[in-house]
């Protein structure tokens, strides 16, 4: 096929020998199958911000660190330079996450390089060597569903053990190769320690997997791995090989309303005092 404009620099630099065909076009990127020497790989071409339908939600970006203070200030002020840096940070998020997760043993596509908004990575293939299907494209028997569910939960644990949460995990971004599930699409990967939405996003990822696999193995619908995993993480007891039960004992004790109101009143008083200090500083 004709070489897409965004892939031409990789061809010119010898990183890609031939563009074979477009594999998919999604909300954030287009993916092409390319030949690099004797190997088939995927080239993920990220769409420009104005052409993407997946919004850079604040909830995903919270907790992501920017080492350069000038860039951080510009991003917070949303200047033109800041918007450009925000875009670069968003694009680099998946690349950084893939390298980090691959080193941790999480089954994700192995990254091969990132050039001008194009991510070159391993092509995930099925048992016949063709591009692997998504979970949503296959039908499972109960035993398979339980096995794949167990594997995906294990990958979620490995991800969290190095501080990351997928944030948008579903049957649409898990591929099935000959050896089992492979997690893909990580531009919205969440920093678990620095994001106030981390617990909710982890539970949503786990619940999405429970619902999907539960269609084929209904016994999975009564599991509660999300809360169990998060409880282990919060207590510092979560490890890459942590053994899970799928059960979680919920706290059924009644909330102490008086204590809760006291905390709220204290927070309001602190905020009032802070506002008064700011006003005094402005008057000075």
């Amino acid at each position: 096929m004709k070489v897409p404009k965004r892939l031409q620099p990789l061809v010119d630099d010898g990183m890609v020998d031939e563009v074979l065909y477009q594999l998919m076009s999604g909300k954030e990127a287009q993916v092409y199958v390319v030949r690099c020497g004797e190997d088939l790989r995927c080239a993920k071409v990220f769409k420009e911000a104005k052409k993407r339908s997946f919004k850079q939600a604040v909830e995903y970006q919270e907790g992501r660190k920017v080492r350069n203070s000038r860039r951080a200030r510009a991003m917070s002020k949303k200047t033109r330079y800041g918007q450009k840096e925000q875009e670069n940070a968003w694009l680099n998020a998946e690349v950084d996450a893939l390298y980090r997760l691959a080193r941790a043993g999480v089954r994700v596509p192995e990254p091969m390089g990132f050039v001008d908004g194009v991510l070159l990575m391993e092509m995930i293939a099925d048992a016949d060597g063709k591009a692997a299907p998504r979970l949503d494209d296959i039908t499972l028997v109960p035993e398979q569903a339980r096995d794949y569910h167990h594997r995906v939960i294990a990958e979620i644990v490995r991800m969290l053990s190095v501080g990351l949460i997928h944030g948008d995990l579903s049957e649409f971004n898990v591929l099935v190769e000959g050896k089992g599930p492979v997690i893909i699409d990580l531009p919205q990967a969440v920093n678990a320690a620095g994001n106030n939405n981390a617990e909710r996003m982890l539970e949503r990822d786990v619940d999405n997997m429970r619902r999907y696999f539960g269609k084929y193995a209904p016994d999975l619908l009564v599991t509660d791995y999300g809360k169990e995993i998060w409880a282990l993480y919060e207590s510092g007891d979560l490890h890459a090989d942590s053994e899970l039960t799928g059960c979680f004992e919920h706290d059924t004790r009644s909330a102490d309303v008086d204590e809760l109101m006291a905390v709220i009143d204290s927070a309001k008083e602190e905020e009032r005092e802070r506002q008064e200090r700011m006003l005094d500083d402005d008057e000075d």
Side-chain angles (χ1 to χ4, degrees):
M1 66 174 289
K2 182 179 178 181
V3 178
K5 182 178 179 181
R6 295 279 301 280
L7 291 179
Q8 191 63 52
L10 280 75
V11 174
D12 294 341
D13 290 343
M15 296 179 67
V16 170
D17 294 306
E18 184 181 6
V19 180
L20 300 178
Y21 58 91
Q22 181 173 310
L23 182 61
M24 58 84 69
S25 180
K27 56 192 176 184
E28 72 204 26
Q30 295 171 312
V31 179
Y32 297 86
V33 174
V34 300
R35 182 177 61 81
C36 304
E38 297 181 356
D39 298 321
L40 295 184
R41 294 175 180 166
C42 283
K44 184 171 184 176
V45 182
F46 289 93
K47 296 179 180 179
E48 298 175 5
K50 60 184 178 182
K51 296 180 181 179
R52 285 201 308 263
S53 60
F54 189 89
K55 304 303 181 183
Q56 297 180 21
V58 173
E59 65 176 1
Y60 290 104
Q61 298 177 50
E62 182 183 348
R64 290 184 180 175
K65 297 179 180 178
V66 179
R67 294 184 179 88
N68 186 294
S69 58
R70 176 171 175 257
R71 290 176 181 172
R73 289 195 299 272
M75 288 164 66
S76 65
K77 294 179 180 178
K78 300 188 183 301
T79 63
R80 181 176 298 179
Y81 170 75
Q83 291 175 342
K84 181 180 178 181
E85 289 303 315
Q86 188 83 55
E87 175 71 2
N88 288 336
W90 180 259
L91 294 179
N92 279 287
E94 177 162 18
V95 183
D96 293 342
L98 282 177
Y99 276 106
R100 186 171 168 183
L101 294 175
R103 286 195 300 267
V106 179
R107 188 63 185 102
V108 294
E110 181 184 354
M112 308 289 186
F114 184 57
V115 180
D116 296 332
V118 179
L119 172 60
L120 191 63
M121 59 185 172
E122 170 191 8
M123 186 184 90
I124 306 302
D126 62 13
D128 298 321
K130 299 179 182 179
R134 300 178 304 181
L135 266 179
D136 185 57
D137 296 325
I138 65 175
T139 300
L140 303 172
V141 297
E143 293 78 9
Q144 248 183 336
R146 295 187 192 99
D147 178 44
Y148 285 0
H149 178 263
H150 175 76
R151 296 193 196 192
V152 171
I153 293 299
E155 300 293 8
I156 291 173
V157 169
R158 290 190 191 98
M159 291 176 68
L160 187 55
S161 69
V162 293
L164 289 178
I165 295 170
H166 188 286
D168 192 34
L169 191 61
S170 73
E171 62 271 27
F172 300 105
N173 42 38
V174 176
L175 300 181
V176 181
E177 64 170 358
K179 297 180 180 179
V182 181
I183 294 175
I184 62 170
D185 294 340
L186 289 143
Q188 70 294 312
V190 172
N191 179 340
N195 193 304
N196 290 321
N197 302 291
E199 180 180 2
R200 177 175 59 81
M201 290 183 179
L202 173 77
E203 291 186 16
R204 183 175 65 193
D205 284 353
V206 173
D207 288 348
N208 284 344
M209 293 293 92
R210 178 180 63 190
R211 282 193 293 270
Y212 174 76
F213 289 111
K215 294 190 301 182
Y216 302 102
D219 51 294
L220 294 174
L221 296 174
V222 299
T223 60
D224 199 353
Y225 285 99
K227 292 188 181 300
E228 181 184 11
I229 292 169
W230 187 258
L232 289 171
Y233 173 73
E234 277 198 315
S235 65
D237 296 322
L238 185 73
H239 308 287
D241 57 353
S242 290
E243 294 186 9
L244 305 175
T245 65
C247 301
F248 182 79
E249 186 174 343
H250 293 261
D251 188 351
T252 57
R253 294 173 299 176
S254 299
D256 187 332
V257 177
D258 291 338
E259 181 180 352
L260 179 61
M261 292 306 299
V263 171
I264 294 174
D265 290 341
S266 177
K268 288 181 177 179
E269 180 63 20
E270 289 181 5
E271 176 61 16
R272 185 186 63 77
E273 292 175 356
R274 188 182 71 85
Q275 294 287 351
E276 289 179 353
R277 287 196 300 272
M278 291 176 60
L279 183 60
D280 292 340
D281 289 342
D282 290 341
E283 290 177 350
D284 293 341

